[in-house]
Amino acid sequence: MDSVGVAAAAPDAGPGPAWQSKCPWGAPSTTSISCSLADVMSEQLAKELQLEEENAAFPEVVAAAEGPFITGENIDTSSDLMLAQMLQMEFDREYDAQLRREEKKINGDSKVSISFENYRKVHPYDSDSSEDEVDWQDTRHDPYRADKPTPTPRRGFIGKGKDITTKHDEVVCGRKNTARMENFAPEFQVGDGIGMDLKLSNQVFNALKQHAYSEERRSARLHEKKEHSTAEKAVDPKTRLLLYKMVNSGMLETITGCISTGKESVVFHAYGGKSATEDKVIPPECAIKVFKTTLNEFKNRDKYIKDDYRFKDRFSKLNPRKIIRMWAEKEMHNLTRMQNAGIPCPQVVILKKHVLVMSFIGQDQVPAPKLKDVTLSNEDMKKAYYQILQMMQQLYRECNLVHADLSEYNMLWHDGKVWLIDVSQSVEPTHPHGLEFLFRDCRNVSQFFQKGGVAEALNERELFNAVSGLNITADNEVDFQAEIEALEKVNEDHVQNHGKKLSTFSSDGDPPIYDE
């Protein structure tokens, strides 16, 4: 070997063995290119590197995008809205390009092709669609409106001879009726008629219109009932607020729960608290009577209150909610009269709108049983009969009231005596139907005690004469009721004079007080 060549090759190989040139821990043979910190932190360099990576990874998408990535050199990027719009525009372009590739892949060379035009993201700021590509929402056919609006002339028809078209034309009226369906309430679903030339006849349109109005009223009633009415064993928000105020004021200590439900009201049990005034004593246990505000049970019961002179001037047929409050006020006044006369009944504590707080008839949250549910001995049954007879006479003579719904369902047995409840419908004898209500009460009481085995129980006609002090002699019940109606119609001054402790009817004296 030439000595010159060996000498020239020696520096290239370097000192040491040959394996050191391939050692991974050895020093690199090439030196790195130095760059400044400003070049590393440059956004332009970062975007260029990103473009190179995207071009290598997604060559087709970038080619279909028809333009480079927005660099921000010539666009103001200080606005977040502008940045968001540019990003959305770029995304829409890529999405539309993907749809075009899918169309081309599926259709191929087939003569029948499908289109994803309705699914494309046609951006409002910049659209890549060709001239023949348009937004389908701008060209859809509205069947409710004519392509060329034809104004209806004043004379009411168009054309001449056989081509005349009046405003009563079936096709014209049908399309007008279909267009009018847009005026229905939003809750009434009329469906989607896009693409269909619908024509509704007058009969069908009128039926749909009436149904739409009825559904609108029904939804309003359901909303009103949900927000402002009391359901069974539940109260509406306004009533709940009244109860909360009673508890927060200290009048009531706590409300335990529901003890009774009826057609007109719901009764809750509560423990009494402290009264704000010293002269008023609150019982340890109270009964809260909440009159229902659904109005269902009060529609046909206005006869009990509209002819009562105490509420006649305040009665309004057009405002049924005031009737409910007057109904609660009516029971409060009737209970006060009965309490002053010494008749066993609940004691009134307070009245707030349609919520009446009374003393609780019972003990330890257990209400006293109704007379129909309790089993009494013969002596107790006889004692209860004479007590009820005396209370009916006191109610008529001293309280100047007729219970009007007296039966075993509205009488409680507690502490060995009968208690009267539910006197909201009680009326005065001056009421036009006062005597009829009294006769009905006498029939209920007489039938119950006769079935209970009380031999001394009078029949309904004798009991009516004993309570009212009238001497009506009739052989049968039909004639007896006819005379009662005649008394109410012919001699209207009777009950008014009776209110002044006078009577225009012939009687044998004051009605007797029956004792055992």
Side-chain angles (χ1 to χ4, degrees):
M1 179 180 294
D2 189 2
S3 59
V4 179
V6 174
D12 296 336
W19 61 269
Q20 288 185 356
S21 61
K22 299 182 180 180
C23 181
W25 292 279
S29 58
T30 58
T31 58
S32 59
I33 301 174
S34 62
C35 60
S36 63
L37 180 61
D39 295 338
V40 176
M41 301 300 294
S42 174
E43 294 184 1
Q44 181 67 25
L45 180 60
K47 292 180 179 179
E48 291 178 357
L49 294 176
Q50 182 180 0
L51 278 176
E52 293 178 1
E53 294 179 359
E54 291 180 354
N55 291 335
F58 310 101
E60 296 181 358
V61 175
V62 177
E66 299 179 2
F69 189 80
I70 300 175
T71 59
E73 295 178 353
N74 300 324
I75 299 177
D76 183 16
T77 58
S78 60
S79 174
D80 294 340
L81 177 60
M82 182 61 67
L83 290 175
Q85 291 175 349
M86 290 190 298
L87 291 175
Q88 184 65 38
M89 185 188 306
E90 191 67 23
F91 174 79
D92 292 345
R93 287 176 175 175
E94 297 176 3
Y95 182 78
D96 291 346
Q98 181 66 22
L99 288 181
R100 293 190 187 96
R101 288 193 297 271
E102 291 291 336
E103 289 181 3
K104 186 176 181 181
K105 179 180 177 181
I106 296 175
N107 294 331
D109 298 333
S110 177
K111 295 181 180 180
V112 180
S113 61
I114 63 173
S115 175
F116 294 148
E117 187 69 27
N118 294 341
Y119 299 97
R120 291 182 181 176
K121 303 288 186 178
V122 181
H123 206 275
Y125 297 98
D126 186 12
S127 176
D128 291 336
S129 302
S130 59
E131 296 181 357
D132 56 340
E133 293 177 352
V134 293
D135 190 359
W136 69 274
Q137 293 183 351
D138 297 336
T139 59
R140 64 177 181 175
H141 174 63
D142 190 354
Y144 297 160
R145 299 169 186 170
D147 296 335
K148 295 181 180 180
T150 56
T152 304
R154 294 184 179 181
R155 59 179 179 270
F157 62 92
I158 301 175
K160 296 181 180 180
K162 296 181 179 181
D163 299 332
I164 188 172
T165 302
T166 65
K167 62 180 180 179
H168 304 290
D169 184 71
E170 183 178 0
V171 177
V172 175
C173 290
R175 287 174 177 169
K176 287 184 179 180
N177 292 336
T178 306
R180 290 174 186 171
M181 287 197 304
E182 295 180 351
N183 300 328
F184 289 167
E187 297 82 6
F188 187 76
Q189 304 295 335
V190 297
D192 187 6
I194 300 300
M196 297 180 289
D197 189 8
L198 300 179
K199 305 178 187 66
L200 292 180
S201 63
N202 293 335
Q203 182 179 2
V204 175
F205 174 76
N206 292 333
L208 289 175
K209 180 180 178 182
Q210 190 65 28
H211 181 66
Y213 289 163
S214 61
E215 285 295 318
E216 187 177 2
R217 292 193 298 267
R218 177 177 171 271
S219 61
R221 287 196 304 268
L222 291 178
H223 178 74
E224 189 271 343
K225 183 177 181 181
K226 180 180 179 181
E227 295 293 333
H228 306 288
S229 65
T230 57
E232 186 173 350
K233 299 184 181 180
V235 293
D236 61 328
K238 292 185 178 180
T239 306
R240 192 179 298 111
L241 181 60
L242 291 176
L243 298 180
Y244 285 160
K245 288 182 178 180
M246 292 181 184
V247 176
N248 293 334
S249 64
M251 180 182 302
L252 299 178
E253 182 178 351
T254 181
I255 300 176
T256 58
C258 178
I259 58 177
S260 177
T261 58
K263 297 181 298 182
E264 305 166 355
S265 61
V266 182
V267 182
F268 297 91
H269 176 272
Y271 286 104
K274 297 181 181 179
S275 175
T277 58
E278 297 180 355
D279 57 343
K280 193 171 186 179
V281 180
I282 299 179
E285 292 185 90
C286 297
I288 306 175
K289 188 171 185 179
V290 180
F291 287 84
K292 292 182 179 180
T293 56
T294 55
L295 311 178
N296 294 332
E297 300 299 335
F298 294 90
K299 292 180 180 178
N300 299 324
R301 308 207 68 179
D302 54 354
K303 62 181 180 180
Y304 291 95
I305 195 171
K306 70 177 181 179
D307 294 323
D308 196 330
Y309 79 93
R310 297 175 293 175
F311 308 95
K312 188 174 183 179
D313 296 336
R314 297 165 52 192
F315 179 81
S316 176
K317 186 71 174 179
L318 301 178
N319 196 343
R321 295 201 171 277
K322 288 187 178 180
I323 299 177
I324 297 174
R325 296 185 183 182
M326 292 169 59
W327 198 265
E329 183 181 351
K330 193 166 182 281
E331 179 160 7
M332 182 196 68
H333 289 301
N334 294 339
L335 286 175
T336 304
R337 286 191 185 185
M338 294 170 61
Q339 184 180 354
N340 295 335
I343 299 176
C345 65
Q347 177 185 355
V348 178
V349 177
I350 193 174
L351 172 66
K352 290 290 186 180
K353 295 183 179 181
H354 61 284
V355 178
L356 179 62
V357 182
M358 306 171 290
S359 60
F360 180 70
I361 308 300
Q363 189 175 3
D364 297 334
Q365 302 185 25
V366 180
K370 297 179 181 178
L371 202 58
K372 75 176 187 67
D373 297 329
V374 67
T375 303
L376 301 178
S377 61
N378 294 334
E379 292 297 328
D380 290 338
M381 185 68 73
K382 182 178 178 181
K383 178 182 177 181
Y385 172 73
Y386 282 110
Q387 183 185 354
I388 292 173
L389 181 57
Q390 182 179 359
M391 286 191 298
M392 292 178 67
Q393 292 175 341
Q394 284 183 291
L395 198 66
Y396 188 84
R397 296 179 58 186
E398 300 179 19
C399 301
N400 197 25
L401 288 174
V402 175
H403 192 283
D405 194 18
L406 188 62
S407 65
E408 61 273 17
Y409 294 88
N410 294 327
M411 294 182 286
L412 304 180
W413 180 260
H414 181 63
D415 290 340
K417 59 182 179 181
V418 180
W419 297 70
L420 293 183
I421 61 172
D422 193 11
V423 293
S424 57
Q425 72 287 329
S426 299
V427 297
E428 292 194 349
T430 56
H431 194 278
H433 303 284
L435 296 180
E436 296 180 17
F437 296 153
L438 178 60
F439 182 74
R440 186 176 60 189
D441 293 345
C442 294
R443 179 195 298 145
N444 296 335
V445 172
S446 178
Q447 291 179 357
F448 173 74
F449 284 100
Q450 285 179 356
K451 292 179 180 178
V454 179
E456 294 84 355
L458 304 175
N459 58 36
E460 56 268 20
R461 297 191 295 272
E462 296 173 348
L463 185 59
F464 178 86
N465 290 331
V467 173
S468 64
L470 301 176
N471 188 15
I472 300 178
T473 57
D475 297 335
N476 51 46
E477 183 177 346
V478 177
D479 296 339
F480 196 89
Q481 291 183 348
E483 291 191 24
I484 293 177
E485 295 177 0
L487 288 175
E488 293 176 343
K489 292 180 180 179
V490 176
N491 197 345
E492 296 180 356
D493 297 334
H494 152 252
V495 286
Q496 296 182 3
N497 292 336
H498 173 64
K500 300 177 182 179
K501 303 301 180 183
L502 298 175
S503 177
T504 58
F505 294 102
S506 60
S507 63
D508 298 336
D510 294 334
I513 303 297
Y514 286 83
D515 296 325
E516 295 187 29

